[in-house]
Structures are given as structure tokens and as C-alpha cells.
Amino acid sequence: MFKWIHKFGSPPFVYGVSKAISPWIGVASLILFAWGLYMGLVKAPPDYEQGEVYRIIYVHVPAAWMSMFVYVVMAISSAIFIIWRLKLADVVAESSALIGASFTFLALVTGSIWGRPTWGTWWEWDARLTSELVLLFLYLGYMALRAAIEHPQSAARAAAILAIVGVINIPIIHFSVEWWNSLHQPATITRADGPKMHISMLIPLFIMLGAFQLYYFHHLLVKMRAGMLMRDRRARWVSERVEGGRL
Amino acid sequence: MKANTELFRVFSTVLRREMRVSFASWGEGLNPLLFFVMVVTLFPLGVGPEAKQLAAIAPGVIWVCALLAMLMSLDGLFASDHRDGTLEQWVLSGQPLSLIALAKVCSHWLRTGLPLVLMSPLLGVLMNLPAATLSTLAISLLLGTFILSLVGAIGAALTLTVKQGGVLLALLVLPLSVPVLIFGAGAVQAVAEQRSALGQLSLLAAGVMAALALAPIGIAAALRVGVASGD
Amino acid sequence: MTEGALLQANDIITWRGETCVLDGVSLNVSHGDVVQIVGPNGSGKTTLLRTLAGLALADEGEVYWQGAALHTLRAEFQNELLYLGHKPGISGVLTPEQNLAAFLQLRHAVPDQNALLEALHALGLGERLALPCRWLSAGQQRRVALARLALEPVTLWILDEPLNALDVNGVEWVVSQIETHAANGGAVVFTTHQTMPFNTVQPIRFKLSDAVLGS
């Protein structure tokens, strides 16, 4: 097991794989984006209650999903980094933070824009939006801690601990916010999304989810390459690649 | 596995040392309490002395102020131990660092959390809370401040080597304290609305158990990183 | 791996930013060895001692205690280690006795009160027992920390500049402690910029060159 991790977790190997597959993933993501947006914005029927407004879910829902997904990826790779001292896992976590925060921010903004016509306000203390806001704070804390500690190895380990603490807390935060919201719920329209949706509205949503997912992997692979070069800048495989012009 | 008596010896040794240190500089220990009292008394000045309005915001205000007071006190939790080298000695003591950290957190809570708890009924009266809620306020703070000490200590340990780490500490710890705030203030609110607060208090108690089990591991890991990174 | 080595460092590499602080350092310490790490300021002496003690992690290389990697047997190793760094680990608000008792009790059950007082007297702190340590001079605070040499029955001492701020008597006391310890089969790794009047042992000098700039 351990040997296996070390072979397939060795930076030169991963760098090569990443370089080979990341363009394909990028192209696939672009195709899915075009297809999903066309299906969602043009083909899908308008909503019975919300009319055309609901179409923002094709960005909002995938962004919200990715914001959680990326944090979990960050926490799992942080745990791998702490337990097996696998430096590549730290590269994954580090490369994920900014894009995860961006997904969270996108989910907040689209949620807020969606709230304007449905609730009549730009911001409603809705449980999901509030959780998302706390999640954004967690991302910002992670990046701030990483930036604040000078010694790179210590920064990596401290940030990893924070990510693990955060991921244990996310369900608790989510639950507490749901509970708090159910107490203070004013009589507003609850938004119709989720399983009640018609299949013709759901399919574009899944396509968009796939597009976001692939976009993240593409971004991760490209950013990891930069991270590996930076971290291993004194290693021979890097200088060989630089001299051979094979970056 | 070490014998229980040995673990108890480690815990009580550190706790006694820490209590000695805090008694020697007890004036500093009172600052969070003063902060708590002063900030709460600012609210009537800010929003007006109308009794109903004060009572309505009191649970949230008192709880947020308690949270901030705890946060303030956490800033230097490990700073002097780091500066004088005690922390290095703890890391190298051959004893479980998480247990040492737990003793340290307990002494921190006794010094800062407990005074807040004891002072809170008085502030409740100032904020015009109904008499029936005062005991719930104190109990919710008793459980909640202990969780905050434990979780906050992880943040304090992570920011050990960061210069001016106080603001960063707040950024790290505040999102994690959202559930404590919700259930703590919620418990008081419930009693004020003549509902039972048992649910919230049980959740806080469960939080204490979970934090007791997990936070010391996190604190110890973070302290090791901090000590490794610099003199 | 060398047979019988107590502490062994293999090819330790440590970077601090773009500076290579330790460039492939290997070191063996056996029972009875007294090893003095020498080198100019900034040559990585403190970093090496901290790495040997398991406080700092090396970027590459591994430290072994009795043949096993350090991080696999942390508690066992630490039970046999006494590390005194630049910072003495003495709290300014506690008295010398309270400071020492807290460490001794944490590490090895209830301390022997008589031995503790005896050590403090031997170090010339007999008059200062009830004073908080912040009222003591730097040299006296160093003496309080050094008293642990006489009180903790462990195998390996790692001492970073133990003679800092000490007067002649203090230096002699430390020298005699080190000699006794080595004679009893203990091992010592230390740094100092002062000359030490050893009588019975001849320290092994381990030289670290000046900091090597990164390529």
C-alpha cells in the first residue's frame, strides 16, 4: 500500500500524467459547459412558479456542491499529508483552497441574485446561504493561516490541521444553522429546487455539475504542476524538465 | 498504555503549575471579565434603555460578548510558554502532549470562562432578562465557554508563531464557534419564550464531550508544528 | 546503520528559505560519548541539536534512536532525553523550586525533595529558593534549568549553549556533571563558544561548516 502510494505519488510521475491528461479534461469541461448551458438556458422549460428566474440554479447548485466537495478533498488530502507525510497531498490541498473559496463565493453571489426576485431582498438569512457564508470564512481562514506562517513546512502542516478541524465542524455548523433557521423562519416562499424538479430541468443540472467537476480537476492538475515545480525546485527532475524545455 | 494514575499525575501537575502561574499574575486574568462587562453595558447606551428591546436582544448580546471575551483571552494562551521554552520541554517531556494541553485549557477556562459564567446573571439583570432565564444563561455559558476554550486553543496553537496572531486567531475560531453561539443563545431565548431549553443544553453538553475527546489531539498536533517552526 | 549507536543521524538536510542550513549531516553518538558540535554562528548548530532532539523536522534524512526512526518511538526516546535549549524553560513567576518540581513531577513521578534542594544549593541558589525566577539574573535562571542535569536519570543530554551567562563556578559545575554522566555510560551532545576545562573526558569535536548557499 505504502509503496504503491509512493510510486504513484512521486512528483515526476504525477507531473507527467497531469501534463498528458489535463488538456483533455479542460476540453471535456468546455464541451459540457456549452452543452449544459444550452440545455439549461434554452431547452429546459420555464418553471411553473418562478418562470425564467429559476435558471440560475444551473450555476448556483453546481457551485454550492463544488464548494463542499472541494473542502472535503482538501481535508482528505490534508489528512493523508499529516498521516503519511506525502508532500503531494499537501500540493492538492494548497491548490484547492483558492478555487474552493471561489466556488463558495459564486454560490453566495448567485444565491443572493436569485433571492432578489424570489424573496424580494438581496440577502435572506436562509439556512443554506448562511452555511455557505460560514464555509467561505473557513476557506479564508485556511488561506490566511497558510500565508501567515513563514516556514513553508510548518505552514503546510498547520493548514492541514485546520482543514481537518474544519471538516469535522462543517456538518455541525450546517446542522446548527438549519436548526436556528427553522426557529426563526419567517413566512416566506421556500424555493422549489431539489427532487421535485421535472426531469427535463434535472438533466441540464447534472450536465452542469459534470462541467464544474471537470473544470475543478483541470484547474487542480494545472495548479498542482506549478506547486510541484515550486516545491521540488531543487530536485533533479525539475532541472531536467526545465533544460529539456518540457514544462 | 500508561497507567491511569500516571496520566492523572501528568494532568494534575500541569494544572497545578498553571494555576500557580495564573494566581501570580491574577490581574491579567481579570481583563476578559472586565471586557465582557463593559461591552455588554455599551449596548443599552447604543440601542436605548427601553426594557423590552433590551430583553429581546439580551441572549444574543451577552453570548456574543462572552464569545469575544473568550477569544481575546485566547490570544496569548501559549505565548509565554513558547517564549520561555516551557512549551519545548512539554513537547519533549515523554508524556502525552494532548493531556498536557488539556490541563492547560482547563486552567485557562477556570481563569477566564468561569468568571464570565459567574458574572453573567448580573449582566442578565442589567439587560432586563426575565429572572427565570438567568440560570439557563449561566448553564449555557458554563458548557459553551468550555467548548470555546477547547476549540479556541486549537486556533491559539496554530497561530503560535504568527506575529500579531490575534486577528488571524479570530478569523480561524469564529466560524468554528457558530454552533456554540446558536445553541447557547438559543437556549436562553427558548426559556425567555417559555419553552424548554433542554434540547439546546443537551446539544451543548454533547459538544463538550466531543470537544473534550477531539480538541486536545488537535491542540497537541498544532503545538508540535509551532514548536518545530522556530525558536 | 552502525551497531550499538545510541543516537544516529543520517544525511540530514534542512533548508531555511533558499539557504541550506544542514547539508547532509551524519552523526553517531554512543554510550559514554561527549560530542561537541563546533562551527561559526549560523552554521546550523542549533538546528542540528533541535533535529536530533526531534523538535525540528528535517527536509530530508532521518534520526534514529537505538536503531529505530525517532518518530516511531517518540515517548520512549523522550523518556531517555534531557534537552536544554536557548530558552531555559523557566517561568518567571514561579520560584526555582516550583519550576523544577513541575518538570520533574511531569516526567518522573514525585521528585525527591532533598535531592532537589541539594542541587539548588550546589548551584548557589540556596538563598534564592523563595524568589520568583524573574528576580534572578540570567545566569541564575540558567542554573535553575541546569539543576535538572543532577536530578533526571536519563541517558542522553542535548545541551544548546549550556554555559551561556554562567560564571566560572557554574562552568565547572557543568563540566563535572558532564564528566560524571559520561563515566556512567550516558551520552552528551552540546554546543558552546567557551572553552571547557575537561579533566577526565576528551570531547569528540564535530565540525559544521559555514552555511552553504542554495544553488
Side-chain angles (χ1 to χ4, degrees):
Chain A
M1 173 70 182
F2 199 65
K3 263 193 175 156
W4 184 86
I5 288 178
H6 266 265
K7 173 165 190 304
F8 293 100
S10 83
F13 179 80
V14 174
Y15 191 97
V17 171
S18 158
K19 201 167 143 59
I21 64 173
S22 70
W24 298 105
I25 294 184
V27 169
S29 155
L30 273 180
I31 293 171
L32 281 190
F33 263 120
W35 186 29
L37 284 175
Y38 171 73
M39 293 289 283
L41 301 185
V42 181
K43 289 287 263 198
D47 184 66
Y48 170 69
E49 272 179 15
Q50 301 187 22
E52 307 289 346
V53 169
Y54 88 96
R55 293 184 197 277
I56 200 166
I57 64 164
Y58 295 122
V59 179
H60 175 72
V61 173
W65 159 255
M66 289 310 292
S67 67
M68 292 288 200
F69 178 82
V70 174
Y71 201 94
V72 173
V73 168
M74 240 169 69
I76 292 174
S77 41
S78 296
I80 293 174
F81 172 61
I82 291 277
I83 297 168
W84 286 297
R85 300 211 241 159
L86 190 69
K87 286 180 185 150
L88 192 72
D90 177 55
V91 181
V92 172
E94 187 187 22
S95 310
S96 294
L98 184 59
I99 188 164
S102 311
F103 283 133
T104 317
F105 186 68
L106 185 64
L108 278 172
V109 170
T110 49
S112 160
I113 293 173
W114 190 12
R116 181 68 199 153
T118 41
W119 291 319
T121 53
W122 287 109
W123 181 263
E124 187 72 24
W125 286 95
D126 157 77
R128 253 170 293 176
L129 277 185
T130 312
S131 292
E132 203 70 21
L133 185 63
V134 178
L135 184 61
L136 181 64
F137 292 154
L138 287 178
Y139 273 115
L140 294 179
Y142 178 90
M143 291 191 285
L145 180 65
R146 229 185 150 112
I149 299 178
E150 267 176 60
H151 196 245
Q153 243 195 10
S154 304
R157 290 206 291 155
I161 294 168
L162 183 67
I164 295 166
V165 172
V167 89
I168 295 173
N169 263 274
I170 284 177
I172 305 174
I173 293 171
H174 191 72
F175 166 71
S176 69
V177 171
E178 287 274 344
W179 181 87
W180 160 81
N181 191 248
S182 67
L183 267 193
H184 299 271
Q185 186 75 36
T188 49
I189 329 148
T190 39
R191 295 190 309 206
D193 50 12
K196 284 163 299 185
M197 285 170 66
H198 189 263
I199 187 77
S200 61
M201 296 178 177
L202 268 180
I203 288 173
L205 189 59
F206 284 124
I207 300 172
M208 286 302 285
L209 257 174
F212 269 75
Q213 198 70 257
L214 288 181
Y215 172 71
Y216 164 62
F217 286 133
H218 172 74
H219 178 93
L220 181 63
L221 287 173
V222 172
K223 218 171 164 188
M224 271 172 70
R225 291 216 294 275
M228 283 186 278
L229 290 179
M230 185 64 193
R231 223 154 294 218
D232 285 359
R233 60 191 177 279
R234 303 182 196 102
R236 198 159 47 163
W237 72 269
V238 173
S239 43
E240 277 171 6
R241 273 194 180 269
V242 172
E243 280 154 21
R246 291 180 297 118
L247 284 179
Chain B
M1 196 63 221
K2 286 179 195 289
N4 284 340
T5 50
E6 193 179 349
L7 295 181
F8 181 74
R9 192 196 76 222
V10 169
F11 181 83
S12 66
T13 302
V14 176
L15 186 65
R16 256 181 298 142
R17 179 192 187 274
E18 288 306 304
M19 293 315 286
R20 278 214 181 99
V21 171
S22 50
F23 274 126
S25 51
W26 59 273
E28 258 170 66
L30 284 181
N31 288 347
L33 182 66
L34 289 178
F35 174 85
F36 180 51
V37 174
M38 282 180 176
V39 177
V40 170
T41 51
L42 285 182
F43 275 84
L45 301 176
V47 300
E50 202 210 329
K52 250 193 183 158
Q53 198 178 11
L54 283 184
I57 60 168
V61 165
I62 295 177
W63 250 97
V64 169
C65 292
L67 188 108
L68 295 179
M70 290 302 287
L71 202 63
M72 263 188 60
S73 69
L74 283 164
D75 189 12
L77 182 56
F78 297 106
S80 66
D81 298 322
H82 185 50
R83 215 179 309 119
D84 67 26
T86 304
L87 204 51
E88 279 177 359
Q89 293 299 331
W90 279 342
V91 168
L92 295 178
S93 66
Q95 304 292 358
L97 187 57
S98 51
L99 192 63
I100 296 174
L102 180 63
K104 177 89 194 169
V105 171
C106 287
S107 95
H108 170 258
W109 180 79
L110 287 173
R111 197 173 58 221
T112 57
L114 192 59
L116 299 189
V117 174
L118 298 177
M119 184 58 86
S120 62
L122 188 65
L123 291 177
V125 172
L126 283 183
M127 290 294 284
N128 207 39
L129 269 179
T133 60
L134 296 180
S135 58
T136 310
L137 177 67
I139 295 170
S140 69
L141 280 170
L142 182 79
L143 297 167
T145 51
F146 193 54
I147 303 178
L148 291 177
S149 274
L150 281 161
V151 174
I154 303 177
L158 286 172
T159 52
L160 190 63
T161 55
V162 177
K163 286 177 200 97
Q164 317 277 309
V167 183
L168 181 59
L169 174 69
L171 191 57
L172 302 187
V173 174
L174 284 178
L176 301 176
S177 23
V178 165
V180 180
L181 176 66
I182 287 179
F183 294 127
V188 186
Q189 193 86 50
V191 177
E193 291 164 7
Q194 274 150 22
R195 286 180 287 113
S196 163
L198 200 62
Q200 289 88 329
L201 293 181
S202 322
L203 284 168
L204 282 177
V208 170
M209 293 300 154
L212 262 179
L214 297 176
I217 303 169
I219 304 168
L223 286 177
R224 284 211 172 85
V225 175
V227 167
S229 74
D231 318 61
Chain C
M1 189 138 314
T2 319
E3 276 304 310
L6 203 52
L7 184 76
Q8 185 171 20
N10 268 0
D11 236 346
I12 301 292
I13 300 177
T14 299
W15 291 83
R16 185 68 46 93
E18 293 301 310
T19 310
C20 186
V21 184
L22 296 175
D23 186 14
V25 175
S26 298
L27 173 72
N28 273 320
V29 182
S30 303
H31 284 283
D33 282 355
V34 176
V35 181
Q36 179 177 6
I37 313 287
V38 290
N41 293 110
S43 57
K45 297 190 294 294
T46 293
T47 309
L48 178 59
L49 290 191
R50 288 171 60 85
T51 309
L52 292 178
L55 269 180
L57 270 184
D59 287 304
E60 275 165 63
E62 190 86 66
V63 180
Y64 299 88
W65 171 251
Q66 297 182 336
L70 215 58
H71 61 91
T72 61
L73 73 181
R74 198 150 53 194
E76 289 95 319
F77 168 64
Q78 290 173 357
N79 284 332
E80 287 303 322
L81 168 74
L82 178 59
Y83 168 86
L84 295 178
H86 283 200
K87 301 179 284 188
I90 297 299
S91 164
V93 297
L94 300 180
T95 66
E97 195 185 338
Q98 288 168 337
N99 263 308
L100 285 175
F103 283 129
L104 297 178
Q105 203 164 342
L106 178 63
R107 279 163 64 84
H108 332 263
V110 181
D112 179 350
Q113 196 66 23
N114 291 333
L116 202 161
L117 291 177
E118 206 176 294
L120 285 173
H121 278 285
L123 278 158
L125 293 161
E127 309 288 304
R128 305 277 190 279
L129 290 180
L131 271 186
C133 285
R134 66 170 177 279
W135 301 122
L136 302 183
S137 74
Q140 284 172 321
Q141 289 194 18
R142 174 68 54 181
R143 283 165 183 246
V144 175
L146 286 168
R148 293 174 63 190
L149 298 180
L151 295 168
E152 299 199 31
V154 299
T155 314
L156 176 67
W157 293 353
I158 297 183
L159 311 173
D160 196 356
E161 302 278 0
L163 306 182
N164 253 4
L166 282 193
D167 58 18
V168 181
N169 290 337
V171 172
E172 269 169 15
W173 187 85
V174 173
V175 167
S176 73
Q177 290 297 319
I178 291 178
E179 288 183 331
T180 317
H181 187 61
N184 292 336
V188 185
V189 184
F190 71 100
T191 62
T192 185
H193 288 292
Q194 282 169 253
T195 44
M196 292 177 83
F198 282 111
N199 301 316
T200 59
V201 297
Q202 186 60 40
I204 306 162
R205 289 166 66 86
F206 185 88
K207 193 156 172 30
L208 286 175
S209 54
D210 213 337
V212 185
L213 283 183
S215 46

